[in-house]
Every structure is written in structure tokens, then in C-alpha cells.
Amino acid sequence: MGLLSDPNRRRALISMLTRLNAPICMLCYCAGVCWFMGLAFEPFTLRTYMSENAMGSTMVEERFPAGERALATAREFAAHKKKVGGMPVDWLVKTMQARGLEVFTQSFSRVLPFPDENKERYIVKGTNVYGILRAPRAPRTEALVLSAPCSPGDNNNQAVGLLLGLAHYFRNQIYWAKDIIFLVNEHDLIGMQAWLEGYHHTNTTGMKWTPLQGRGGSIQAALSLELSSDVITSLDIVLEGLNGQLPNLDLANLFYAFCQKIGVLCTIQGRLQRNDWDSVSGYSHAVQTMMLMVMKQASGRPWGDHGLFLRYHIEAATISGINSFRQYKTDLTTTGRLVEGMYRKLNNLLERLHQSYFFYLMPSLTHFVSIGYYMPAFGLLAVILLLRALDLWVQLVAPPARTEDGIAEIEQQSSPGVRSVLTPLIISHLTGAALYLMPVHFQEMAVEHFPVSETEAVVLTAIAVYTAGLALPHNTHRLVSGEGTEQGWRVLKLVAVLYLAVLLGCTALINFSLGFILALTMVPVAAFVTPDVPKVLSAIVFVILSPACTLLFSVFLFQELQDMPVSLQDGWMLYISVISQGILDHYLFGSLVYPLIALMVYPCWLLFWNILFWK
Amino acid sequence: HELWEAVLPLIVLLCGGGQLKDDFQEELVIRPLHSGDIYASFHFRTLWETDFMKGNKVSHYRLFPKSLGQVISKFSVRELHISFTQGYWRTMQWGQPYLPSPPGAELWVWFQDTVTDVDATWKELTNVLSGIFCASLNFIDSTNTVQPSASFKPLGIANVTDHRFLRYATLPREIVCTENLTPWKKLLPCGSKAGLAVLLKSEKLFHSSFHSQAVHIRPMCQDSQCKTPSWELRQTLNVVFDLHTSGQGKQEWSLFKMFSRTLTEACPLASSSKIYIDITDNPQVGEQFELIPATPLLRQAVVLGDRRTFSVYDLTQQVTFGTVRSLNLLIRWKSTEGHMLRPLLHAERYVAGYGLQTGEIHTLMYNNHPFRSFSVLLLDSVPWYLRLYIHTLTVTSKGKDNKPSYIHYQPSKDRIRPHLLEMLVQLPPHSVTEVTVQFERALLKWTEYTPDPNHGFYVGSSVISALVPSTVAMDTNNTQERTLFSSL
């Protein structure tokens, strides 16, 4: 206890920390990376288990018999979809009414900030159709949602067929305690966003929608179905939602439990379970699965229609059917029974899902890494920043303590110091603001002057602003505050290091994956930058470790992990589309990754860039 | 011997003197609904020409249940209305109910003006009723009791309209089941042994979409001069059966299928025992549904401002039971159209927003009348742990601000009393009126959470009272205007 209060020991400790600062930092970095890689090693992780009593011990029977009929409905739906050339609203309304549901529609429209070239849409108009199965003798206070997107082409017809089949079957059962809402949403996420905003009567993204006529109380859980084939070989569960939010782990446990019970192959990240954890290939399989989850989570995108529910504290997941070349096939009846089982257990819930974890990583469906296990990996990286800050602080404070008249000196030095810190701070943040605002607001001008499409214009503007930012600050700060002093860059670096520590710390609390990936690339730069290192070499390292390049590498790595490696050319195209999707996600659904990078991370990185070119 | 002789005339005297008129009627109203569901509404009415008040010691009970009679005299109750409901009345599909009631338990009582400490009497009364009805009414305390200033006018003859003597409380989380049905049935003169009450079998009644049972006690007038006071006890039980879950594909209903019993006799103590079938939507025999056995007796009545026609089966007539000595009414659907009804007035309420810090209560009131506007009284009682920001209260109709002509707001006190908000709002014809008010969730002490805190908290229903012209109750010949209660 006396370690810090005793001045002698404190001095000793501090001098040790400053003397061994660089090796300790290196050690921490290596330890952090190793810790993270160790998370996928099975003996270090926990087995998943059902925490919620209401879903664990109560047995339910699955009796859904009508897979064939659901398929017939799916074909009928497909025919009507083709005839109408979009969502067959009238047919859906009639079909749902015939199944005894209360049916309502909601129309919505949205003009995208710029055309979405991936999905070829700009002005989006659509209609959501939903039917509510009212639980008998329930006061309309709780609801469950089962949704299936009405996708273009021949996709997802079977999901809608199964949804209608389940609606018909569920309607004839007496045991429901919560209303069940069957939702068919058009234009996938945009429709879902409109419906959720309408349901909760909020408007976060400036979308136009008609108010909902029927509601079912607070939604406890939701599943989104994606099935595009009559038979499937395995079912995949998608958990990652908007801003890296995840549903309660019990929802994944529930899915896994029913897959086991019914005997359906189940995957996460499209990857099957392996039992050979002790072999190298088994371990690398687990690492790859976990890395996929980390990268998906870090992207902050909703990876399925479920992703938007999470904002409203509704536990949701997407279940998609995969049809590969395996021998063993599962028909729609079995899939229906699985969904039925899950809904019956969710129906038994007394309370919202809250018993299990909300923050976790999954190296496989049977194992998970909880927040307590993965946070140290980030903590080890973050501590480097604090150590560097301590070191800088000591360096700044120590010299005047030795001389008698040092106090007067430091006062003289620090008054230009404030200006020399503030100027780059302001300039870099203004650059960040430009990066945030200019791409979307100047797209028309860009399209007029250059022969590019709107989407390309937006992305290329962003890249241009980003690169211009590299040239701008280190030239201007000298004009404003004159030649940088030795003390000046130290103060600036202290501020920047602490800023980065707070920024990454907050990010990691909300979205661990994003925080970790950013820390992985930015911490080495932040720790070891001084104006005295060789300029050209460090500048190259700097650019390689900048947020934009991190994204570029992530794109390639992600493709590699998904066993879909791309060429440089395709990778670049993908990179552009990823940036445009990121910007669209922000404007359409309120994803925070783009503003975070543009307004905070990039300016923070510019500060370090500034230090590099201080002299 | 001498002693007996002395006592005997006394008894005769007592009987003679206490022979006050009492009367029991029972009715079952069945309304086939558009959705294919069926609505059965039981009404049992005991009328007793007596006076519990003015220090009268009433000790001889015949038809009127003694337990309730004692409650009335001990607590000086003027009017008592209690309902237990499991489910939600789907106005959009089913139209208006004969007597609306909110999910859970609802209790409202008018006390006599002789009561000095209303709150203490109310507390005691709720505890006694809790025992009588086997319900958690003892959880009614000051935090969920309000004194409405304008809603809940007395339904019987009333010379008291001082709202100090009115108390209203709801328990939205109360679950209603057989344990509440049994004591309710015991209040009937025939119990569940004879008459319509034999149909009240819990295994069928709770296999339904909606179940609501209520007890209403009020003072009545026997004649136009209102010289002799009398008390009316009305017990109602409303139940809606679902075609889909119990129909098993066949579109027909019968008494046996609904209640797993048939009728063989009326309650011998009843002066009238009838079954009414609403055939208004079936003008030509067998157009929408077929009724077996058919009856020549028809009766017209105006219910909830709507003229309706009923087929009547009189159970006191032996003819009704036919040769098999048992009545099993059968309704066979010819066509069911699941189209939505557009009732004149209906309402819904929901919470908007997300996150813990913000929320907004939206109440939507629909007036579907093409040219008539209605003024309605909206009563909201919100628990204290939702902090209402009353300055954010907005009332809009057709996109325009709709200023309520009367607002009564009583702010909550933490852990003591709930918010009470009453408004008189004019609903323009063919419009939706939206009332919104923002709230914040208060921080609770850890002991104040309910047993399953993640289940959430219940907020009682709003009450909307509308003045609707020519509203006539089913079985009274009352033609004066009366409030119709529509609860959410």
C-alpha cells in the first residue's frame, strides 16, 4: 500500500517505468496479441450453456407438419411476386387474413443520400405487410416477431412460404402467451428500419413511413428467416447487428439446442463445428471463425435483418438456410419444427432474455469468450498508451524540478505550448469534419466535373479528403505557431496519446472488435512516434497503419477468411463499395462507425502524423 | 312449551316484516362476431328492495348474497364495481362489448357521504374484497389509487357527486383464473347447480380468447317517484370463443361445444331466464349463419346506440327444451368474412421511443363517425415511477392542435400516489386524435422492483368515457342517456 504514498518508492517505481518503458510496451503489445489469439483455443474458453430457466427445463414438442404446404405457398408467392414485379401486397394481405391474423400494411419511402450500386437503388418506395396473431387472454403487452424479407428475384420465397405456414399452424394453437407478429418486409433493411421506427414511433434517420395501425406491445425477441431453397443442408445463425451489438447469448444457445434436438447441422459464420481442437487445423479453424466474427462486428453493419432490432433492446438473430453439396438434406418441415420449438420456448419466457451474456465472441457455436476474457487483450494494448503518457509526463515535468528557477522557465514555455497543441487539434478535427461532410454534400459537384458515378464520386471524394488531410496540417501549424519546439511536440503527443486511450477505451466498451482492431494498428504508431525518427520510412509505416489502410487490409483478410480470395483489382473495387456501404449504413440506419472514424479516429491519427513532421 | 309459543309468533312476525321484495333474473346474450368468433355474455341480476343504510340492521338474506350485503352496510358503500379480466377486448374485430373492462383487476367505489375517513375505509374494503374474490386486491394502496374528478359518474341513483367519495384503482398485472371464478359463482342464488350458471365450467371458460367477470352493485329506483330504495347486484361474465383454436375446421358452435354442457332448466329462483341470440347480421334466415332450433320469438333492442334484433329462448317455458328435455343451441356458419369492423369509437395506446432515458406514451382515439363529433373524457392513471413531463402533453387531431376543454392533472408523489390526468377532448368526425406525453423512468430502490424485474412494469389502462346518445342497456328499460365506458 505504501508503494505510491512513499515518495522514495514512488520515485523508484516511476524511474523503473520510464527506464524500461519501451520494453514493457513491446511486451504488452505481444502479450495483448497473444492473449487475443489464445481466446480461440478451446481449453481457454467456456462451453455455452442455457442460462434462462424458463427456456432450459421446460420441454416443448415440435409438431409442425406442413412443410409441403409451405412450399406450395412459397411457389404461389413466387408466382405472384413475378406477376406484380415486386412485393405482392394484396396477395399477402389476403393470405394472412385467411390464416386468421390481424393484417396491417405500412408503406414507406426513402431517398438515399446517393445511389446504392450494390443493390441498385436510389429512390426506395415499398410496403411492409404484417399480420398479428393475438395470443388468447393476453393483454397485448408482449410480442415476438418472425420476419422474412421479400427479396428481389427468386430469393427467399421459401422463407415467406414457411412464415405463412407457421402462421397458419401457430394460429390453431392455444398456448400462446405473447402476440406473434409475422412480418414480410420489402427492400430488406430499409423496410425493416421503417417498420421498427414506425413500431416505436421514433425517427432517427429521416425516413418517411405511414404510422402502424396495429401493435402488440413490447417485442421480446425476433427471428428473421432467410431460405432460398426447398431443402437445406445446414442452418446458419447470424448474430452481428448494428454498431456491433449482439443479441443475448441465450438466443444462440436456444438455436443450438434445437439444432441438436432436431438433428439439423448448424453453423456460425458459415462454418461447421470441429472436434479436433488440439490439432493445428482445428485451432486455426476456431481462430478463423472468431476472426470472422470480430471483423463483422467491427464493421458495425447489420449483417441480417435482425441487426436493426438490437437498437431497441430486442434480442434478434437471422437464421439462414444453406444448401451445399452435402448428402444429408433437411426439408422444410424440419426447419419449421425448429422455428416452432424456438418460438414455443421464447413464448415461455417470463422476463426478457437477460440471464446470459450480451458481450461475447464465438470461436464456435458451442464455445464462447465472454467480456471478462477478451477485455484483457484490449487492456494490454491500452496500457501501452498510458505507459507512454506517463513517460511523457515525467519527461515534461522532470527537467525543471532539477533547477532552481525551472518554474519560471516552464511557465514561459507552456504559454506557446497551449497554442501549439490547440492549433493542430483544431485543424485535424476540421479535416475530420470535412471528411464527414464533404463526400455526401459535394457529390453533385464531383459528378459534374469528373466522369464518375455518384457512388464513386462519394468514395473518391472521401479518399481525396483523407489524403489531402495528410498534407494539410503539418504545413499549416508552422504558419500559425512558428517553428515547433521540443516541449511542444511532447505536450501534443501527451494530449494525443491520452485522447487515443480514451477514444479506444470507449469504443472497445461499445464494440470490442472495432476498438481492438483500431488499437492493434494505431497503438504502435502512437507509442513510438517522435519527430526524430527517419521521415520517409516512418511515413510509409504510418500510412500503412492508418485507419484507411487498416480497412483495406481488413477487406482482403475478410475475403481470405471466407475462402473467397480476391485479386488486387477486385479488392480495390470491393474497398470502394465497402466505404460507400459504410457511409450508407450511417445515413440509412444510424451506424456510428463512419462518423467515429471521420470525426474522432482520423483526427487523432492526424495528430500523430503531425508530430512526425513537427520539425 | 310456553317459551316456544312466545318465540314462534316472533319468527312469523320477523318473516312478515322482512318480506321485502327481491327478484332474480338471468340472461345469456350470444353474439356471433364477424371474425367467426362468438361472444357470450352472461348477466345475472338480483334486485332487492331494502335499505342497508341509515343504521338498518339487515340480517335476513334470501337471494342477495350475505357477504356482499354486509360489505355494503359495514363500509357504507353506495356503488361498487369490480371486474376481473383476462385478455384484451379487440374492438376492431369484435365491436363494442356490452360492458368494457381493462385487463387485470379494476375496482371503483362510491362511498356514502357519511363516511368520514374515505382512505381508511377504502383500504379496509379492498382487503375484504380481496378475501371474497380470492384476488390480490390487497395490493391496492395509495400508489395505485386515484380520485377521478370527472370520470366514473355513479351509475345508479345518486345524490352524491362529490368526488371525495370516489376511489378508482386497477391492478393490470392481476391474473384471473378459476380461483376467482368459484367465489364469483357462489354469489349466485342457484350457485352453479341450475339455470344458466351450469354452463360456467372453468375448463371451457378459460379456453377462450377473452374472459371477463364483473360484479356491479348500485342503488336503484323501483318506480318513477323513487320512494322505496332498492339495491341491484349485477354479475356479468363475458367470454369470447375463438373459432380457429377450438373450431377444428368445422364452422359451427353449440352450447355443448362452447361450455361442454347443455341446458335443461332455468334456475328455479329466477323470475326470468332467457337466452338472446343477436341475429342482426343475419337478416334473412340462414344467410350468414343458421340457428337450430329456430325460435319464433324475436325482440328488438337498442344496444350501444345500435338497433339490434335478437332471437329469444325463454328457459322458463318447457317448450323451449323440446322433446329431448335439453336445449343445445347450434349456430352453423355459412360464411365468415374476417374483415375488420370500424367501430365508431375505439382507441389504442403504446409506448414510443427506445432506451431507458426517453419514452412517450401515445394514446390514439379514433372517431369513425362520418359527421358527428364526440366529446370524450380521457383518464390516465400512471404509476409514480414513470415521471411524466406534463409540459410535453400534446393533443392533435387531423394534424392540428386540439385544445382540451378541461384538464385535471394531479402530479405524482414518489412512493405515495400516482399521476392522474383527466382531459375532456373533442373528437372531430372521422379523425384520429393523438395524445402524447413524454416520460422518464425513475430510479427505483432495489427493494421496489417487482419479483421479475426484467418482465417490465405494468401501467394501467386509460379509461375513455364518451357521452353517446340513446344508449340503452340490454336488460333495463332505462332510456336516459348514460355513459358508456370504453377501456383500453
Side-chain angles (χ1 to χ4, degrees):
Chain A
M1 291 303 285
L3 195 66
L4 291 174
S5 53
D6 179 358
N8 286 328
R9 287 193 195 170
R10 186 168 58 194
R11 206 168 298 141
L13 180 74
I14 288 172
S15 76
M16 192 196 74
L17 280 179
T18 35
R19 213 161 7 97
L20 296 177
N21 200 287
I24 293 179
C25 287
M26 301 272 240
L27 194 70
C28 280
Y29 190 81
C30 295
V33 175
C34 291
W35 188 294
F36 179 74
M37 297 309 279
L39 293 178
F41 191 50
E42 207 173 295
F44 294 168
T45 57
L46 292 174
R47 237 191 121 74
T48 53
Y49 56 92
M50 191 74 85
S51 300
E52 175 61 62
N53 270 336
M55 296 201 305
S57 56
T58 48
M59 292 303 294
V60 294
E61 286 179 346
E62 307 84 37
R63 291 183 177 158
F64 177 68
E68 285 304 313
R69 236 168 97 189
L71 274 183
T73 319
R75 280 190 283 274
E76 205 179 328
F77 171 73
H80 282 271
K81 189 163 88 172
K82 201 168 274 177
K83 202 166 79 186
V84 181
M87 178 120 146
V89 176
D90 295 333
W91 181 82
L92 272 172
V93 168
K94 219 182 286 164
T95 317
M96 281 189 182
Q97 265 168 356
R99 279 157 175 72
L101 306 180
E102 275 179 39
V103 190
F104 306 93
T105 57
Q106 180 206 29
S107 49
F108 57 90
S109 69
R110 177 80 163 103
V111 181
L112 271 53
F114 56 88
D116 181 356
E117 287 186 349
N118 279 24
K119 289 180 175 155
E120 289 172 356
R121 56 191 183 191
Y122 180 47
I123 298 170
V124 179
K125 276 200 179 95
T127 313
N128 293 324
V129 180
Y130 65 104
I132 307 180
L133 157 55
R134 297 292 182 192
R137 295 189 313 289
R140 288 195 183 177
T141 50
E142 291 175 325
L144 302 170
V145 172
L146 178 61
S147 78
C150 171
S151 315
D154 269 342
N155 289 331
N156 240 3
N157 295 333
Q158 283 79 358
V160 177
L162 181 59
L163 176 121
L164 292 171
L166 283 170
H168 182 62
Y169 175 73
F170 284 2
R171 181 64 182 85
N172 293 322
Q173 309 308 315
I174 190 74
Y175 41 66
W176 299 113
K178 301 174 175 37
D179 291 356
I180 301 178
I181 303 175
F182 296 91
L183 166 68
V184 180
N185 53 316
E186 201 177 359
H187 300 299
D188 46 63
L189 283 161
I190 296 183
M192 190 55 96
Q193 175 79 7
W195 190 80
L196 281 167
E197 285 193 352
Y199 197 90
H200 295 94
H201 208 108
T202 56
N203 204 334
T204 46
T205 56
M207 188 183 287
K208 284 195 188 72
W209 37 258
T210 54
L212 299 189
Q213 297 290 317
R215 283 184 174 75
S218 94
I219 302 173
Q220 307 285 303
L223 286 185
S224 177
L225 286 180
E226 285 178 11
L227 300 171
S228 296
S229 54
D230 290 359
V231 286
I232 52 157
T233 48
S234 61
L235 282 175
D236 187 57
I237 185 163
V238 186
L239 300 170
E240 300 85 1
L242 186 70
N243 291 326
Q245 279 184 294
L246 299 170
N248 195 281
L249 186 57
D250 267 345
L251 199 64
N253 295 340
L254 183 68
F255 170 74
Y256 179 69
F258 271 100
C259 285
Q260 292 297 101
K261 186 179 176 192
I262 292 178
V264 183
L265 280 178
C266 54
T267 60
I268 186 162
Q269 319 297 353
R271 289 165 162 263
L272 280 171
Q273 196 75 20
R274 278 174 73 151
N275 295 322
D276 53 341
W277 56 268
D278 43 356
S279 71
V280 176
S281 67
Y283 170 69
S284 87
H285 184 84
V287 169
Q288 287 174 15
T289 314
M290 189 177 76
M291 280 306 293
L292 272 172
M293 177 154 188
V294 166
M295 301 188 87
K296 281 186 178 177
Q297 198 188 7
S299 76
R301 316 195 53 184
W303 285 84
D305 279 358
H306 73 281
L308 298 172
F309 282 95
L310 298 169
R311 177 206 294 270
Y312 302 94
H313 192 11
I314 299 166
E315 310 316 317
T318 296
I319 294 178
S320 54
I322 295 172
N323 193 16
S324 63
F325 300 105
R326 250 170 237 284
Q327 282 285 301
Y328 183 71
K329 304 272 186 193
T330 307
D331 62 352
L332 212 55
T333 311
T334 319
T335 317
R337 278 170 53 213
L338 183 126
V339 178
E340 183 204 351
M342 288 183 74
Y343 271 83
R344 286 202 62 181
K345 284 232 176 166
L346 289 171
N347 178 55
N348 287 349
L349 280 182
L350 261 182
E351 303 178 75
R352 277 174 181 283
L353 286 173
H354 68 285
Q355 302 274 14
S356 197
Y357 295 88
F358 285 98
F359 296 94
Y360 53 86
L361 294 175
M362 297 195 89
S364 71
L365 250 183
T366 49
H367 286 80
F368 74 102
V369 182
S370 77
I371 186 168
Y373 286 76
Y374 67 58
M375 262 310 181
F378 174 79
L380 284 167
L381 297 185
V383 86
I384 297 172
L385 296 175
L386 298 182
L387 283 174
R388 294 309 289 182
L390 181 76
D391 186 37
L392 284 166
W393 178 252
V394 171
Q395 281 178 24
L396 281 170
V397 174
R402 284 192 210 116
T403 54
E404 282 293 307
D405 52 356
I407 301 151
E409 251 175 57
I410 199 147
E411 273 173 4
Q412 280 172 0
Q413 279 182 354
S414 68
S415 53
V418 173
R419 253 176 72 195
S420 68
V421 171
L422 262 185
T423 320
L425 259 179
I426 290 171
I427 291 175
S428 57
H429 276 93
L430 286 178
T431 320
L435 178 60
Y436 176 66
L437 294 172
M438 277 175 62
V440 172
H441 291 276
F442 288 90
Q443 49 165 319
E444 282 172 21
M445 203 190 285
V447 171
E448 272 175 32
H449 290 89
F450 301 101
V452 285
S453 69
E454 275 100 339
T455 315
E456 279 173 343
V458 169
V459 177
L460 294 177
T461 316
I463 294 175
V465 174
Y466 190 92
T467 348
L470 302 188
L472 191 76
H474 72 272
N475 287 333
T476 47
H477 99 269
R478 270 180 233 170
L479 292 177
V480 179
S481 58
E483 195 65 32
T485 56
E486 190 69 18
Q487 205 79 340
W489 74 261
R490 290 226 165 85
V491 175
L492 178 61
K493 189 175 170 187
L494 179 63
V495 170
V497 161
L498 289 176
Y499 180 22
L500 185 64
V502 171
L503 184 61
L504 291 181
C506 294
T507 310
L509 282 181
I510 298 163
N511 185 345
F512 164 77
S513 303
L514 183 61
F516 187 77
I517 289 178
L518 286 176
L520 214 54
T521 53
M522 289 185 74
V523 165
V525 166
F528 296 104
V529 63
T530 62
D532 308 323
V533 289
K535 289 276 177 313
V536 180
L537 186 68
S538 345
I540 292 170
V541 173
F542 246 79
V543 170
I544 287 175
L545 291 179
S546 81
C549 289
T550 311
L551 180 60
L552 183 63
F553 301 140
S554 304
V555 168
F556 281 104
L557 180 61
F558 184 72
Q559 292 298 318
E560 200 68 40
L561 286 172
Q562 285 206 315
D563 303 325
M564 286 186 291
V566 286
S567 65
L568 276 180
Q569 180 74 27
D570 292 345
W572 176 252
M573 293 314 289
L574 203 60
Y575 179 60
I576 288 182
S577 95
V578 163
I579 294 177
S580 73
Q581 291 298 314
I583 297 175
L584 272 180
D585 281 348
H586 171 58
Y587 283 99
L588 291 181
F589 316 120
S591 155
L592 292 174
V593 175
Y594 172 57
L596 179 81
I597 299 285
L599 296 173
M600 311 285 255
V601 177
Y602 172 63
C604 189
W605 181 84
L606 275 183
L607 290 178
F608 295 110
W609 181 258
N610 207 341
I611 292 163
L612 182 65
F613 293 99
W614 189 261
K615 287 178 178 162
Chain B
H1 282 281
E2 275 177 15
L3 191 73
W4 274 112
E5 274 167 26
V7 170
L8 212 62
L10 204 69
I11 293 171
V12 171
L13 261 178
L14 264 179
C15 292
Q19 194 144 52
L20 302 167
K21 248 169 60 192
D22 56 357
D23 178 46
F24 175 68
Q25 296 172 346
E26 54 179 14
E27 265 167 22
L28 165 62
V29 188
I30 293 177
R31 193 206 293 172
L33 299 167
H34 282 276
S35 51
D37 301 339
I38 208 148
Y39 173 30
S41 179
F42 291 87
H43 295 253
F44 301 95
R45 183 199 199 203
T46 313
L47 203 64
W48 191 14
E49 208 174 288
T50 184
D51 196 357
F52 289 113
M53 300 304 146
K54 293 169 196 153
N56 262 8
K57 268 258 187 291
V58 182
S59 52
H60 182 65
Y61 289 83
R62 204 174 78 99
L63 297 177
F64 203 89
K66 189 173 179 183
S67 56
L68 288 182
Q70 283 175 335
V71 165
I72 295 170
S73 53
K74 172 140 196 282
F75 299 105
S76 306
V77 172
R78 168 158 287 272
E79 251 184 51
L80 184 148
H81 303 267
I82 184 166
S83 76
F84 299 97
T85 307
Q86 187 72 21
Y88 182 91
W89 182 266
R90 304 172 198 169
T91 319
M92 293 271 274
Q93 286 173 306
W94 299 339
Q96 292 288 354
Y98 294 122
L99 271 169
S101 54
E106 182 197 43
L107 174 66
W108 57 285
V109 175
W110 276 94
F111 292 97
Q112 301 280 358
D113 49 6
T114 50
V115 178
T116 46
D117 188 351
V118 180
D119 286 316
T121 319
W122 166 252
K123 180 86 198 141
E124 225 175 309
L125 173 68
T126 53
N127 279 285
V128 168
L129 289 176
S130 173
I132 293 179
F133 292 103
C134 283
S136 323
L137 296 173
N138 51 325
F139 284 108
I140 292 178
D141 53 16
S142 67
T143 60
N144 48 23
T145 303
V146 290
Q147 278 181 58
S149 71
S151 307
F152 297 105
K153 292 270 177 278
L155 291 184
I157 48 161
N159 40 21
V160 197
T161 45
D162 186 345
H163 283 262
R164 278 184 301 131
F165 299 106
L166 170 64
R167 289 293 180 277
Y168 170 77
T170 51
L171 294 173
R173 207 177 181 171
E174 179 75 10
I175 290 165
V176 185
C177 202
T178 46
E179 63 185 16
N180 306 105
L181 181 67
T182 313
W184 184 91
K185 281 198 289 197
K186 280 189 179 163
L187 299 176
L188 295 170
C190 291
S192 52
K193 304 270 190 306
L196 290 173
V198 298
L199 300 178
L200 303 174
K201 290 291 166 204
S202 53
E203 79 267 19
K204 282 290 182 186
L205 286 185
F206 291 100
H207 193 100
S208 56
S209 295
F210 176 84
H211 172 96
S212 170
Q213 60 190 65
V215 170
H216 303 274
I217 300 173
R218 56 176 179 170
M220 289 285 286
C221 286
Q222 280 298 76
D223 43 33
S224 50
Q225 278 91 41
C226 222
K227 273 183 186 151
T228 45
S230 67
W231 286 81
E232 184 202 58
L233 162 70
R234 194 188 300 183
Q235 287 179 260
T236 61
L237 189 141
N238 295 302
V239 62
V240 176
F241 293 101
D242 186 357
L243 180 73
H244 278 268
T245 49
S246 42
Q248 282 125 31
K250 274 196 199 164
Q251 301 207 322
E252 60 176 43
W253 290 107
S254 64
L255 283 187
F256 188 77
K257 201 164 146 186
M258 284 189 274
F259 303 105
S260 71
R261 290 285 183 288
T262 56
L263 286 172
T264 50
E265 57 172 346
C267 171
L269 298 171
S271 64
S272 141
S273 177
K274 290 193 174 84
I275 296 180
Y276 295 90
I277 313 271
D278 191 333
I279 53 163
T280 319
D281 302 324
N282 194 28
Q284 247 125 65
V285 177
E287 187 182 319
Q288 252 202 331
F289 54 84
E290 202 179 352
L291 202 57
I292 304 163
T295 172
L297 272 175
L298 288 181
R299 184 167 163 191
Q300 299 247 322
V302 178
V303 185
L304 309 174
D306 199 9
R307 184 164 292 279
R308 310 205 62 97
T309 318
F310 297 90
S311 289
V312 186
Y313 296 83
D314 192 347
L315 299 189
T316 47
Q317 308 286 317
Q318 271 308 314
V319 183
T320 315
F321 298 103
T323 46
V324 285
R325 305 219 152 265
S326 139
L327 176 65
N328 183 22
L329 274 173
L330 186 80
I331 296 170
R332 190 171 289 144
W333 283 102
K334 290 282 160 77
S335 67
T336 50
E337 293 150 34
H339 67 262
M340 297 255 177
L341 282 176
R342 280 280 163 193
L344 279 187
L345 286 175
H346 64 103
E348 60 172 319
R349 190 159 78 142
Y350 59 91
V351 172
Y354 61 92
L356 281 179
Q357 72 282 18
T358 54
E360 199 167 40
I361 298 178
H362 284 242
T363 309
L364 300 177
M365 292 178 284
Y366 295 83
N367 177 6
N368 290 321
H369 201 282
F371 51 85
R372 232 193 109 101
S373 68
F374 291 100
S375 49
V376 298
L377 255 176
L378 175 74
L379 178 140
D380 249 319
S381 158
V382 180
W384 62 266
Y385 42 78
L386 298 186
R387 301 241 156 91
L388 289 188
Y389 293 125
I390 204 72
H391 69 278
T392 61
L393 179 76
T394 58
V395 184
T396 47
S397 320
K398 292 181 167 172
K400 272 184 283 180
D401 203 33
N402 181 352
K403 205 168 156 36
S405 44
Y406 167 79
I407 294 187
H408 171 74
Y409 174 64
Q410 189 186 40
S412 71
K413 279 188 192 156
D414 280 3
R415 301 172 180 85
I416 294 173
R417 71 171 189 214
H419 302 266
L420 170 68
L421 177 63
E422 280 181 285
M423 281 188 289
L424 186 66
V425 186
Q426 194 77 16
L427 306 184
H430 201 72
S431 70
V432 187
T433 305
E434 187 169 23
V435 180
T436 62
V437 61
Q438 290 178 10
F439 68 91
E440 193 180 58
R441 293 154 180 92
L443 216 55
L444 293 186
K445 294 176 185 165
W446 70 278
T447 47
E448 286 167 345
Y449 284 94
T450 45
D452 297 320
N454 281 288
H455 181 74
F457 291 92
Y458 282 81
V459 177
S461 305
S462 301
V463 180
I464 295 172
S465 326
L467 211 58
V468 180
S470 65
T471 304
V472 180
M474 196 43 237
D475 44 358
T476 53
N477 296 322
N478 209 339
T479 47
Q480 54 189 282
E481 283 196 343
R482 205 170 71 184
T483 48
L484 144 79
F485 289 96
S486 159
S487 311
L488 285 164

